[in-house]
Amino acid sequence: MSRPKIGFIGYGAMAQRMGANLRKAGYPVVAFAPSGGKDETEMLPSPRAIAEAAEIIIFCVPNDAAENQSLSGENGALAALTADKLVLDTSTVSPDQADAFAKLAVEHGFSLLDAPMSGSTPEAESGDLVMLVGGDEAVVKRAQPVLDVIGKLTIHAGPAGSAARLKLVVNGVMGATLNIVAEGVSYGLAAGLDRDVVFETLQQVAVVSPHHKRKLKMGQNREFPSQFPTRLMSKDMGLLLDAGRKVGAFMPGMAVADQALALSNRLHADEDYSALIGAMEHSVANLPHK
């Protein structure tokens, strides 16, 4: 049985790995990448061309502005998103953006899920992402075969926009926890503990998650290959605080983490967000940032 063609709008590190897994599962894949990398996937010239060619369109763009740019204009996807199309928005965008996209889907008649993923490039490569989805149950069922290829688990968060909000919860916890881990390392080193003892102990104890143990290993090695770049984590923390302010949520710990990651972003934008550990180590050692 032939599988529907899938088109990516945005084809960076995460999307390329999802695309590779979909190709292995027998799905034809095309992509549009204004700035992302390229592989053997057939590249098309515009978001509209993707929406015309594919039955299932996956948005994987960095922010609200990029998503709106991909949707609008003569060559935007919206011009070709007809009632038979299914759109999965895997981008991490603001709740307001997710709501606006859902409104466009109703107005134009196409099916849409806000479907951000939890996980970094290793999980995208192995197909072990956790997919958070918001939208109608029938649309989730329609999308499930694709979601099962790119992820190990699908969580239906609720109606349209719910997954965009849940993703900010997840990333807020992730960013704030990394800041706490970095502060712990900072104290241990400033107190004169052996460097390897500090890092190796934290990688063994149960209170540190497997994800953050991976980040500690990067800190110990002083190498921060970009599984999740600081610029994107800093952006997500900003989205969370803006959204939290609108609903009156009390998040002082996440606000501190937002500031720490914003500072780290000045010099480590394209490195993994765990570069904050290295920045704090340089600070307590009275060394310049590198």
Side-chain angles (χ1 to χ4, degrees):
M1 184 175 66
S2 63
R3 297 186 182 274
K5 181 176 288 188
I6 295 177
F8 281 87
I9 295 176
Y11 208 55
M14 295 293 286
Q16 284 184 56
R17 287 162 171 82
M18 290 190 286
N21 286 329
L22 287 164
R23 286 197 307 274
K24 290 175 187 175
Y27 288 91
V29 176
V30 294
F32 166 74
S35 59
K38 300 178 182 178
D39 55 18
E40 63 267 35
T41 301
E42 180 185 358
M43 306 303 292
L44 299 185
S46 68
R48 178 172 182 165
I50 293 293
E52 289 172 342
E55 298 170 62
I56 300 174
I57 297 92
I58 299 178
F59 279 75
C60 194
V61 297
N63 52 43
D64 292 14
E67 187 162 275
N68 286 326
Q69 185 175 6
S70 297
L71 282 167
S72 62
E74 182 180 351
N75 291 313
L78 193 59
L81 288 177
T82 50
D84 57 325
K85 306 292 185 177
L86 169 60
V87 177
L88 306 179
D89 185 10
T90 67
S91 316
T92 300
V93 294
S94 70
D96 288 346
Q97 177 69 18
D99 292 346
F101 204 167
K103 184 179 179 182
L104 287 174
V106 172
E107 292 172 352
H108 290 260
F110 59 87
S111 297
L112 169 70
L113 294 176
D114 47 300
M117 75 288 284
S118 178
S120 299
T121 50
E123 290 79 18
E125 189 161 345
S126 62
D128 287 328
L129 295 167
V130 174
M131 304 303 298
L132 314 175
V133 297
D136 293 339
E137 185 70 45
V139 182
V140 177
K141 185 175 181 180
R142 179 182 172 189
Q144 197 65 62
V146 171
L147 296 170
D148 286 344
V149 172
I150 60 181
K152 66 177 181 180
L153 174 68
T154 298
I155 297 174
H156 188 190
S162 299
R165 290 163 169 84
L166 185 57
K167 177 62 185 294
L168 295 185
V169 173
V170 172
N171 278 21
V173 170
M174 189 164 65
T177 302
L178 188 279
N179 184 61
I180 291 298
V181 168
E183 287 184 12
V185 169
S186 176
Y187 164 72
L189 298 179
L193 292 172
D194 179 83
R195 184 177 186 276
D196 286 335
V197 168
V198 172
F199 279 101
E200 289 171 9
T201 299
L202 290 173
Q203 289 173 76
Q204 295 300 321
V205 295
V207 295
V208 179
S209 72
H211 171 85
H212 289 99
K213 288 177 181 178
R214 197 163 71 204
K215 304 308 177 186
L216 280 160
K217 191 64 176 176
M218 291 182 181
Q220 185 175 14
N221 293 338
R222 295 189 175 99
E223 294 178 350
F224 304 98
S226 187
Q227 296 177 351
F228 186 9
T230 302
R231 58 185 168 80
L232 294 182
M233 175 55 88
S234 182
K235 178 264 297 184
D236 293 352
M237 295 300 291
L239 291 178
L240 173 63
L241 291 181
D242 287 343
R245 189 176 298 109
K246 291 177 181 177
V247 299
F250 181 63
M251 301 183 294
M254 291 182 178
V256 171
D258 169 63
Q259 290 296 297
L261 286 159
L263 180 62
S264 182
N265 188 54
R266 292 189 63 194
L267 295 174
H268 307 288
D270 293 319
E271 293 178 270
D272 191 82
Y273 83 106
S274 58
L276 178 60
I277 298 172
M280 286 197 183
E281 177 175 3
H282 279 287
S283 177
V284 298
N286 290 318
L287 295 174
H289 292 277
K290 292 182 179 180

